[in-house]
Amino acid sequence: VDAFQAWCGPCKTVVDLFRKIRNEVGSDLLHFAVAEVDSIDALEKHRGKCKPVFLFYAGGELVAVVRGVNAPLLQKTILGQL
């Protein structure tokens, strides 16, 4: 989940990375979403931050967090969680 604030929008720079990884591993194993933290109470703690936050969930539980746009770390985290 790309958690973002309305004033800065979702992180468009990693969309291509997400598409590439999803194409490599298949759509059944991996799902990407964006969530505006201003409108979701459960994401309130991420409000007021200027860095993008990527939240990784498995089985409904938060399993990893990556702060900032770091393509190698995002890819490593995604593949590691799979």
Side-chain angles (χ1 to χ4, degrees):
V1 177
D2 176 1
F4 70 95
Q5 288 194 251
W7 55 268
C8 66
C11 186
K12 294 179 175 119
T13 60
V14 296
V15 170
D16 289 339
L17 173 65
F18 289 164
R19 283 188 185 137
K20 176 183 174 261
I21 294 171
R22 185 167 180 182
N23 287 337
E24 290 174 358
V25 301
S27 61
D28 292 342
L29 297 175
L30 190 57
H31 302 279
F32 296 107
V34 293
E36 184 180 339
V37 299
D38 297 321
S39 61
I40 301 172
D41 290 338
L43 297 176
E44 182 178 13
K45 69 181 180 180
H46 299 290
R47 293 177 190 160
K49 310 282 194 267
C50 64
K51 281 187 177 181
V53 176
F54 300 91
L55 308 171
F56 297 87
Y57 289 87
E61 298 291 322
L62 182 65
V63 294
V65 175
V66 173
R67 297 186 195 302
V69 178
N70 180 334
L73 180 57
L74 285 167
Q75 184 167 359
K76 179 181 176 183
T77 303
I78 291 167
L79 297 176
Q81 291 300 322
L82 290 175

XYZ file of all heavy atoms in Angstrom:
632
model
N 0.858 -1.166 0.000
C 0.000 0.000 0.000
C 0.902 1.227 0.000
O 1.756 1.374 0.871
C -0.923 0.031 1.239
C -1.767 1.302 1.246
C -1.805 -1.200 1.282
N 0.689 2.096 -0.976
C 1.378 3.381 -1.020
C 0.518 4.352 -0.226
O -0.541 4.768 -0.674
C 1.531 3.831 -2.474
C 2.154 5.211 -2.629
O 2.496 5.841 -1.611
O 2.274 5.659 -3.784
N 0.938 4.668 0.991
C 0.194 5.586 1.859
C 0.658 7.009 1.571
O 1.843 7.310 1.710
C 0.425 5.229 3.318
N -0.280 7.874 1.156
C 0.088 9.222 0.759
C -0.892 10.240 1.317
O -1.958 9.892 1.782
C 0.129 9.335 -0.772
C -1.232 9.260 -1.410
C -1.936 10.420 -1.716
C -1.826 8.051 -1.701
C -3.192 10.355 -2.296
C -3.081 7.975 -2.282
C -3.764 9.135 -2.575
N -0.489 11.514 1.262
C -1.377 12.603 1.650
C -1.852 13.313 0.391
O -1.124 13.392 -0.598
C -0.664 13.582 2.580
C -0.478 12.961 3.945
C -0.087 13.995 4.973
O 1.039 13.994 5.404
N -1.007 14.845 5.346
N -3.053 13.862 0.420
C -3.666 14.468 -0.758
C -2.797 15.564 -1.355
O -2.719 15.704 -2.576
C -5.043 15.019 -0.407
N -2.092 16.319 -0.525
C -1.301 17.437 -1.029
C -0.098 17.002 -1.846
O 0.463 17.773 -2.601
C -0.878 18.385 0.092
C -0.148 17.736 1.223
C -0.697 17.233 2.368
C 1.258 17.497 1.325
N 0.283 16.708 3.175
C 1.492 16.871 2.567
C 2.346 17.768 0.502
C 2.773 16.490 2.979
C 3.611 17.387 0.931
C 3.807 16.755 2.158
N 0.333 15.750 -1.703
C 1.488 15.311 -2.498
C 1.147 14.169 -3.451
O 1.914 13.880 -4.354
C 2.660 14.925 -1.602
S 2.363 13.489 -0.579
N 0.017 13.527 -3.277
C -0.410 12.466 -4.181
C 0.388 11.181 -4.023
O 1.405 11.147 -3.347
N -0.091 10.102 -4.646
C 0.618 8.826 -4.574
C 1.970 8.923 -5.278
O 2.178 9.769 -6.135
C -0.314 7.850 -5.280
C -1.265 8.671 -6.049
C -1.296 10.034 -5.442
N 2.878 8.063 -4.917
C 4.240 8.090 -5.458
C 4.247 7.471 -6.854
O 4.253 6.253 -6.991
C 5.186 7.350 -4.528
S 6.886 7.516 -5.066
N 4.263 8.311 -7.852
C 4.203 7.836 -9.235
C 5.535 7.264 -9.712
O 5.572 6.517 -10.677
C 3.746 8.972 -10.139
C 2.324 9.386 -9.844
C 1.876 10.523 -10.719
C 0.411 10.787 -10.439
N 0.120 12.073 -9.940
N 6.612 7.604 -9.044
C 7.921 7.155 -9.515
C 8.157 5.659 -9.337
O 9.046 5.103 -9.969
C 9.061 7.920 -8.821
O 8.989 7.703 -7.424
C 8.998 9.403 -9.118
N 7.379 5.015 -8.488
C 7.586 3.577 -8.277
C 6.547 2.712 -8.982
O 6.635 1.489 -8.928
C 7.630 3.228 -6.771
C 8.796 3.879 -6.091
C 6.341 3.587 -6.099
N 5.615 3.331 -9.678
C 4.569 2.565 -10.365
C 5.184 1.586 -11.359
O 4.781 0.424 -11.433
C 3.556 3.503 -11.053
C 2.616 2.741 -11.967
C 2.763 4.266 -10.004
N 6.175 2.029 -12.125
C 6.818 1.140 -13.094
C 7.501 -0.036 -12.409
O 7.443 -1.161 -12.894
C 7.826 1.896 -13.947
C 7.164 2.843 -14.931
O 5.968 2.649 -15.246
O 7.840 3.781 -15.384
N 8.146 0.228 -11.268
C 8.773 -0.852 -10.507
C 7.725 -1.863 -10.059
O 7.914 -3.074 -10.200
C 9.521 -0.300 -9.294
C 10.076 -1.341 -8.314
C 11.165 -2.178 -8.981
C 10.583 -0.669 -7.057
N 6.616 -1.384 -9.529
C 5.552 -2.283 -9.076
C 5.001 -3.114 -10.235
O 4.766 -4.308 -10.092
C 4.417 -1.493 -8.433
C 4.769 -0.893 -7.088
C 3.977 0.094 -6.548
C 5.867 -1.308 -6.366
C 4.277 0.651 -5.315
C 6.181 -0.758 -5.131
C 5.377 0.227 -4.610
N 4.791 -2.478 -11.371
C 4.285 -3.211 -12.550
C 5.267 -4.304 -12.973
O 4.870 -5.426 -13.289
C 4.040 -2.253 -13.705
C 2.794 -1.459 -13.552
C 2.507 -0.665 -14.815
N 1.341 0.185 -14.584
C 1.247 1.434 -14.958
N 2.237 2.007 -15.611
N 0.164 2.131 -14.709
N 6.561 -3.959 -13.001
C 7.590 -4.924 -13.400
C 7.594 -6.133 -12.459
O 7.586 -7.280 -12.911
C 8.952 -4.234 -13.390
C 10.111 -5.143 -13.693
C 11.430 -4.383 -13.576
C 12.594 -5.299 -13.729
N 13.197 -5.722 -12.481
N 7.588 -5.873 -11.178
C 7.608 -6.970 -10.207
C 6.345 -7.805 -10.324
O 6.398 -9.035 -10.313
C 7.787 -6.429 -8.777
C 9.170 -5.786 -8.626
C 7.597 -7.540 -7.746
C 9.360 -5.034 -7.332
N 5.202 -7.152 -10.456
C 3.943 -7.898 -10.571
C 3.931 -8.773 -11.815
O 3.457 -9.908 -11.779
C 2.755 -6.947 -10.571
C 1.454 -7.698 -10.557
C 0.309 -6.827 -10.257
N -0.891 -7.653 -10.263
C -2.074 -7.209 -10.067
N -2.260 -5.942 -9.824
N -3.107 -8.009 -10.086
N 4.458 -8.266 -12.918
C 4.534 -9.068 -14.140
C 5.461 -10.265 -13.959
O 5.208 -11.333 -14.514
C 5.003 -8.216 -15.321
C 3.937 -7.264 -15.805
O 2.746 -7.471 -15.589
N 4.366 -6.195 -16.453
N 6.516 -10.094 -13.188
C 7.475 -11.184 -12.961
C 6.927 -12.266 -12.040
O 7.189 -13.450 -12.250
C 8.777 -10.633 -12.384
C 9.580 -9.806 -13.365
C 10.790 -9.140 -12.739
O 11.010 -9.287 -11.514
O 11.507 -8.453 -13.474
N 6.198 -11.886 -10.996
C 5.752 -12.877 -10.008
C 4.328 -13.345 -10.223
O 3.917 -14.333 -9.638
C 5.910 -12.366 -8.560
C 7.350 -12.028 -8.271
C 5.009 -11.199 -8.278
N 3.565 -12.642 -11.016
C 2.189 -13.035 -11.275
C 1.205 -12.278 -10.406
O 1.517 -11.873 -9.291
N 0.014 -12.105 -10.946
C -0.982 -11.279 -10.270
C -1.654 -11.970 -9.087
O -2.257 -11.306 -8.255
C -2.040 -10.818 -11.274
O -2.706 -11.930 -11.833
N -1.566 -13.286 -8.988
C -2.216 -13.980 -7.877
C -1.496 -13.776 -6.548
O -2.105 -13.828 -5.486
C -2.305 -15.483 -8.163
C -3.267 -15.798 -9.293
O -4.109 -14.936 -9.619
O -3.156 -16.892 -9.864
N -0.193 -13.544 -6.593
C 0.593 -13.434 -5.372
C 0.737 -12.016 -4.844
O 1.053 -11.823 -3.680
C 2.004 -13.986 -5.620
C 2.108 -15.459 -5.971
C 3.550 -15.816 -6.302
C 1.607 -16.307 -4.816
N 0.526 -11.032 -5.698
C 0.889 -9.676 -5.345
C -0.186 -8.683 -5.750
O -0.685 -8.731 -6.866
C 2.204 -9.350 -6.057
C 2.953 -8.099 -5.699
C 3.294 -8.052 -4.217
C 4.226 -8.006 -6.531
N -0.530 -7.794 -4.832
C -1.519 -6.757 -5.100
C -0.988 -5.436 -4.575
O -0.431 -5.386 -3.471
C -2.850 -7.084 -4.420
C -3.407 -8.400 -4.840
N -4.107 -8.576 -6.006
C -3.324 -9.618 -4.270
C -4.446 -9.848 -6.128
N -3.975 -10.509 -5.079
N -1.142 -4.381 -5.363
C -0.717 -3.053 -4.965
C -1.932 -2.166 -4.804
O -2.918 -2.301 -5.517
C 0.210 -2.443 -6.015
C 1.498 -3.199 -6.184
C 1.721 -3.966 -7.305
C 2.478 -3.137 -5.213
C 2.894 -4.672 -7.457
C 3.655 -3.839 -5.350
C 3.866 -4.613 -6.479
N -1.858 -1.230 -3.869
C -2.958 -0.284 -3.636
C -2.374 1.045 -3.189
O -1.228 1.122 -2.753
C -3.901 -0.833 -2.564
N -3.181 2.077 -3.309
C -2.821 3.386 -2.775
C -3.888 3.784 -1.771
O -5.053 3.407 -1.910
C -2.689 4.459 -3.884
C -1.522 4.162 -4.788
C -3.952 4.590 -4.681
N -3.479 4.510 -0.737
C -4.416 4.913 0.312
C -4.094 6.324 0.759
O -2.953 6.614 1.135
C -4.330 3.957 1.495
N -5.065 7.204 0.712
C -4.893 8.568 1.178
C -5.039 8.589 2.694
O -6.108 8.318 3.236
C -5.918 9.501 0.538
C -5.711 10.931 0.913
C -6.731 11.855 0.276
O -7.350 11.495 -0.735
O -6.909 12.936 0.827
N -3.957 8.895 3.397
C -3.955 8.810 4.858
C -4.878 9.843 5.505
O -5.313 9.643 6.637
C -2.529 8.922 5.447
C -1.654 7.792 4.942
C -1.900 10.254 5.161
N -5.185 10.926 4.790
C -6.074 11.953 5.348
C -7.497 11.438 5.533
O -8.245 11.955 6.352
C -6.111 13.185 4.438
C -4.756 13.852 4.331
O -4.057 13.924 5.366
O -4.387 14.277 3.230
N -7.869 10.422 4.771
C -9.247 9.947 4.823
C -9.413 8.575 5.477
O -10.513 8.040 5.526
C -9.838 9.918 3.404
O -9.101 9.033 2.588
N -8.326 8.011 6.008
C -8.389 6.684 6.627
C -7.851 6.790 8.051
O -6.646 7.007 8.262
C -7.593 5.652 5.807
C -8.149 5.581 4.382
C -7.628 4.285 6.487
C -7.317 4.744 3.441
N -8.733 6.663 9.025
C -8.343 6.830 10.432
C -7.232 5.879 10.860
O -6.364 6.252 11.642
C -9.553 6.656 11.349
C -10.543 7.809 11.224
O -10.128 8.905 10.783
O -11.720 7.610 11.568
N -7.229 4.658 10.350
C -6.216 3.676 10.747
C -4.812 4.084 10.297
O -3.827 3.584 10.835
C -6.569 2.306 10.175
N -4.712 5.012 9.346
C -3.415 5.468 8.849
C -3.043 6.854 9.370
O -2.113 7.484 8.885
C -3.419 5.480 7.311
C -3.615 4.115 6.655
C -3.709 4.262 5.142
C -2.503 3.155 7.029
N -3.726 7.293 10.413
C -3.530 8.629 10.963
C -2.078 8.905 11.343
O -1.572 10.020 11.171
C -4.437 8.827 12.173
C -4.345 10.203 12.782
C -5.301 10.388 13.951
O -5.869 9.392 14.446
O -5.459 11.538 14.363
N -1.366 7.904 11.840
C 0.013 8.125 12.288
C 0.955 8.479 11.141
O 2.059 8.947 11.369
C 0.538 6.917 13.054
C 0.757 5.678 12.214
C 1.257 4.541 13.066
C 1.469 3.297 12.234
N 1.957 2.200 13.046
N 0.519 8.297 9.905
C 1.351 8.618 8.748
C 1.066 10.014 8.197
O 1.704 10.439 7.245
C 1.158 7.572 7.652
C 1.539 6.201 8.088
N 2.844 5.825 8.325
C 0.791 5.112 8.372
C 2.876 4.571 8.715
N 1.646 4.122 8.760
N 0.133 10.740 8.798
C -0.194 12.087 8.337
C 0.917 13.060 8.719
O 1.581 12.902 9.732
C -1.517 12.552 8.952
C -2.693 11.754 8.454
C -3.980 12.179 9.111
N -5.034 11.215 8.772
C -6.144 11.064 9.437
N -6.393 11.811 10.491
N -7.035 10.173 9.055
N 1.092 14.081 7.891
C 2.084 15.109 8.181
C 3.508 14.740 7.818
O 4.434 15.463 8.124
N 3.694 13.623 7.162
C 5.026 13.187 6.742
C 5.221 13.560 5.276
O 4.317 13.445 4.476
C 5.178 11.669 6.891
C 4.757 11.118 8.233
C 5.810 11.360 9.277
C 5.591 10.553 10.502
N 4.886 11.090 11.564
N 6.411 14.004 4.919
C 6.642 14.375 3.528
C 7.233 13.226 2.715
O 7.249 13.283 1.507
C 7.520 15.617 3.429
S 9.179 15.394 4.074
N 7.709 12.166 3.362
C 8.237 11.012 2.638
C 7.112 10.024 2.346
O 6.255 9.790 3.197
C 9.284 10.279 3.476
C 10.630 10.899 3.496
C 11.585 9.967 4.217
C 12.984 10.494 4.210
N 13.902 9.584 4.874
N 7.159 9.401 1.156
C 6.199 8.329 0.891
C 6.427 7.175 1.867
O 7.552 6.940 2.306
C 6.515 7.885 -0.533
C 7.344 8.978 -1.115
C 8.033 9.657 0.026
N 5.361 6.476 2.194
C 5.444 5.311 3.072
C 4.788 4.139 2.343
O 3.677 4.262 1.838
C 4.715 5.561 4.415
C 4.730 4.311 5.269
C 5.330 6.717 5.152
N 5.485 3.033 2.299
C 4.967 1.835 1.656
C 4.756 0.786 2.736
O 5.681 0.420 3.446
C 5.941 1.349 0.576
C 6.153 2.381 -0.490
C 7.186 3.304 -0.385
C 5.296 2.465 -1.572
C 7.372 4.277 -1.345
C 5.472 3.445 -2.542
C 6.507 4.354 -2.424
N 3.507 0.340 2.865
C 3.120 -0.619 3.905
C 2.888 -1.975 3.258
O 2.170 -2.080 2.265
C 1.834 -0.140 4.592
C 1.853 1.306 5.104
C 0.471 1.722 5.561
C 2.874 1.461 6.215
N 3.464 -3.003 3.831
C 3.355 -4.351 3.289
C 2.529 -5.211 4.237
O 2.862 -5.329 5.418
C 4.751 -4.956 3.098
C 5.574 -4.189 2.099
C 6.329 -3.095 2.491
C 5.561 -4.547 0.762
C 7.072 -2.381 1.575
C 6.302 -3.836 -0.172
C 7.051 -2.746 0.239
N 1.474 -5.804 3.693
C 0.572 -6.643 4.480
C 0.575 -8.063 3.943
O 0.657 -8.284 2.736
C -0.862 -6.104 4.398
C -1.063 -4.815 5.151
C -0.809 -3.591 4.554
C -1.506 -4.819 6.469
C -0.991 -2.407 5.245
C -1.689 -3.631 7.171
C -1.430 -2.433 6.541
O -1.605 -1.256 7.227
N 0.475 -9.013 4.834
C 0.324 -10.424 4.486
C -0.663 -11.023 5.474
O -0.518 -10.831 6.682
C 1.652 -11.150 4.550
N -1.665 -11.679 4.973
C -2.680 -12.275 5.845
C -3.392 -11.250 6.702
O -3.792 -11.544 7.819
N -3.512 -10.021 6.200
C -4.205 -8.971 6.935
C -3.364 -8.288 8.007
O -3.848 -7.416 8.717
N -2.098 -8.667 8.135
C -1.208 -8.099 9.151
C -0.105 -7.275 8.486
O 0.435 -7.670 7.455
C -0.556 -9.218 9.970
C -1.521 -10.071 10.746
C -2.176 -9.322 11.887
O -1.498 -8.509 12.541
O -3.370 -9.545 12.121
N 0.258 -6.166 9.110
C 1.368 -5.361 8.639
C 2.665 -6.131 8.893
O 2.960 -6.508 10.027
C 1.399 -4.015 9.376
C 2.492 -3.044 8.958
C 2.295 -2.589 7.512
C 2.504 -1.843 9.890
N 3.438 -6.393 7.831
C 4.654 -7.198 7.975
C 5.933 -6.419 7.676
O 7.025 -6.859 8.047
C 4.596 -8.467 7.090
C 3.493 -9.410 7.567
C 4.410 -8.106 5.624
N 5.824 -5.279 6.996
C 7.013 -4.482 6.694
C 6.597 -3.069 6.318
O 5.483 -2.839 5.861
C 7.810 -5.113 5.553
N 7.534 -2.129 6.524
C 7.326 -0.726 6.175
C 8.599 -0.216 5.523
O 9.696 -0.472 6.024
C 7.007 0.128 7.429
C 6.905 1.596 7.071
C 5.743 -0.358 8.114
N 8.450 0.480 4.400
C 9.579 1.156 3.754
C 9.221 2.628 3.659
O 8.191 2.983 3.105
C 9.888 0.578 2.355
C 10.954 1.408 1.652
C 10.315 -0.876 2.447
N 10.075 3.468 4.208
C 9.860 4.914 4.152
C 10.774 5.517 3.101
O 11.958 5.217 3.058
C 10.154 5.540 5.505
C 9.221 5.053 6.594
C 9.437 5.807 7.895
N 8.855 5.193 9.061
C 7.587 4.891 9.262
N 6.733 5.108 8.314
N 7.160 4.355 10.379
N 10.209 6.340 2.253
C 10.971 6.971 1.185
C 11.028 6.098 -0.050
O 10.713 4.910 -0.019
N 11.412 6.734 -1.152
C 11.490 6.019 -2.428
C 12.904 5.465 -2.584
O 13.841 6.182 -2.878
C 11.143 6.951 -3.606
C 11.270 6.208 -4.922
C 9.746 7.502 -3.440
N 13.022 4.186 -2.331
C 14.284 3.477 -2.454
C 13.968 2.211 -3.247
O 13.595 1.186 -2.680
C 14.833 3.152 -1.062
C 16.143 2.404 -1.105
O 16.460 1.713 -2.058
N 16.908 2.532 -0.034
N 14.090 2.304 -4.581
C 13.677 1.204 -5.454
C 14.335 -0.135 -5.097
O 13.636 -1.152 -5.020
C 13.916 1.565 -6.911
N 15.660 -0.194 -4.867
C 16.252 -1.487 -4.507
C 15.671 -2.065 -3.205
O 15.417 -3.262 -3.108
C 17.741 -1.172 -4.359
C 17.965 0.040 -5.197
C 16.695 0.829 -5.068
N 15.458 -1.209 -2.202
C 14.890 -1.688 -0.935
C 13.440 -2.117 -1.114
O 13.015 -3.139 -0.548
C 15.003 -0.615 0.148
C 14.445 -0.994 1.523
C 15.119 -2.257 2.060
C 14.607 0.159 2.492
N 12.671 -1.376 -1.900
C 11.283 -1.769 -2.163
C 11.237 -3.129 -2.846
O 10.475 -4.009 -2.442
C 10.575 -0.725 -3.027
C 10.170 0.551 -2.327
C 9.776 1.622 -3.332
C 9.021 0.283 -1.368
N 12.067 -3.319 -3.876
C 12.082 -4.592 -4.585
C 12.513 -5.725 -3.658
O 11.894 -6.793 -3.638
C 12.993 -4.516 -5.799
C 12.973 -5.798 -6.620
C 13.617 -5.625 -7.968
O 14.081 -4.548 -8.333
N 13.650 -6.691 -8.731
N 13.548 -5.500 -2.875
C 14.032 -6.519 -1.934
C 12.941 -6.883 -0.919
O 12.733 -8.061 -0.609
C 15.278 -6.011 -1.212
C 15.840 -6.964 -0.203
C 17.054 -6.380 0.498
C 17.548 -7.324 1.578
N 18.667 -6.767 2.310
N 12.235 -5.871 -0.409
C 11.185 -6.114 0.570
C 10.027 -6.900 -0.048
O 9.533 -7.855 0.546
C 10.676 -4.778 1.152
O 11.788 -4.087 1.720
C 9.610 -5.006 2.216
N 9.617 -6.493 -1.235
C 8.509 -7.182 -1.907
C 8.871 -8.643 -2.148
O 8.122 -9.554 -1.785
C 8.157 -6.492 -3.235
C 7.528 -5.114 -2.948
C 7.212 -7.359 -4.068
C 7.428 -4.227 -4.174
N 10.017 -8.875 -2.765
C 10.406 -10.259 -3.086
C 10.665 -11.067 -1.821
O 10.338 -12.253 -1.762
C 11.617 -10.248 -4.003
C 11.377 -9.601 -5.379
C 12.671 -9.557 -6.189
C 10.272 -10.318 -6.144
N 11.215 -10.436 -0.795
C 11.443 -11.129 0.466
C 10.149 -11.546 1.148
O 10.074 -12.609 1.760
N 9.128 -10.718 1.057
C 7.851 -11.043 1.670
C 7.105 -12.134 0.902
O 6.314 -12.863 1.483
C 6.976 -9.794 1.796
C 7.477 -8.792 2.795
C 7.559 -9.368 4.192
O 6.717 -10.145 4.635
N 8.612 -8.989 4.910
N 7.364 -12.237 -0.393
C 6.708 -13.289 -1.173
C 7.290 -14.640 -0.829
O 6.655 -15.636 -0.858
C 6.863 -13.015 -2.676
C 6.061 -11.839 -3.178
C 6.396 -11.584 -4.652
C 4.572 -12.082 -3.025
